[in-house]
Amino acid sequence: GGGAGSAGGAAQSTGGGLGDLFGMAMNQFGAARQGNAQQVRDAARNSMPRGMDYAQAEQQAELLVKAMINAAKADGRVDKEEQQKIVDRLGEVTRDELAFVQRELTAPLDVQGFIRSIPRGMEQQVYTVSLMAIDLDSNPEAQYLHQLAQGFGMGTEACNRIHEQLGAPKLYG
């Protein structure tokens, strides 16, 4: 675990694209369970990347939250402080949202099932958010990232480039 509280700063340091998507996804994750669903859809539609609908954005937001949680679980434990960092990263949360996060935190880590759940084209985003959510200071965390990279069909150069962009230790020599 560890590092989930630093995900926001790292997201913004990637220079736009992913940081914007992560921010939009996190905002939509929180907004999707609050207020009038039509108002949320209308507001979200204005900030959507071209060709993406509300349901896709909501699905992506949930997958990015799961990526953050799974990465925190990679070392075999998520203590109360790490849980709080994840909830803090989400901002204001509703009971439903908190229940979703708690379910994900207590669910067993199923790396292969998670990999299979990622839609084509989101692999690098999920990998990046996973890396942002940890300190990469243990072998189990490195193994988790390696499993993601292999499962996503990402080459070593692509992985190392993401690590360089985020100032994280390279996974591959």
Side-chain angles (χ1 to χ4, degrees):
S6 64
Q12 292 170 359
S13 70
T14 60
L18 179 67
D20 293 343
L21 176 63
F22 187 70
M24 181 189 76
M26 293 299 102
N27 290 339
Q28 288 172 0
F29 177 76
R33 292 175 179 80
Q34 301 172 15
N36 179 307
Q38 188 58 47
Q39 288 175 338
V40 172
R41 283 186 187 95
D42 291 344
R45 205 171 284 121
N46 295 330
S47 64
M48 282 299 153
R50 187 177 309 189
M52 181 182 289
D53 67 21
Y54 179 78
Q56 288 174 311
E58 186 175 28
Q59 178 189 23
Q60 285 190 4
E62 288 188 5
L63 288 173
L64 293 175
V65 171
K66 286 180 183 182
M68 190 168 52
I69 292 169
N70 285 343
K73 291 193 287 189
D75 66 0
R77 60 179 169 70
V78 181
D79 62 30
K80 292 289 184 192
E81 182 180 323
E82 290 171 322
Q83 290 179 30
Q84 190 59 49
K85 285 180 182 179
I86 290 168
V87 171
D88 288 349
R89 176 64 190 108
L90 298 175
E92 290 186 38
V93 293
T94 65
R95 287 185 196 179
D96 288 345
E97 186 173 289
L98 187 57
F100 168 80
V101 170
Q102 291 300 325
R103 278 192 308 274
E104 290 300 318
L105 283 166
T106 58
L109 181 59
D110 176 8
V111 180
Q112 295 307 313
F114 180 63
I115 288 169
R116 286 189 301 272
S117 75
I118 304 304
R120 187 176 279 307
M122 272 193 74
E123 298 90 351
Q124 288 194 11
Q125 294 163 341
V126 169
Y127 184 91
T128 302
V129 168
S130 299
L131 177 58
M132 291 179 348
I134 59 177
D135 291 328
L136 191 52
D137 57 2
S138 73
N139 196 38
E141 290 169 338
Q143 289 174 347
Y144 175 76
L145 290 172
H146 175 70
Q147 285 181 303
L148 285 183
Q150 282 191 319
F152 293 157
M154 293 173 59
T156 59
E157 289 180 20
C159 290
N160 283 342
R161 188 171 44 253
I162 292 169
H163 285 246
E164 285 176 17
Q165 289 172 344
L166 296 179
K170 288 183 181 179
L171 199 57
Y172 303 106

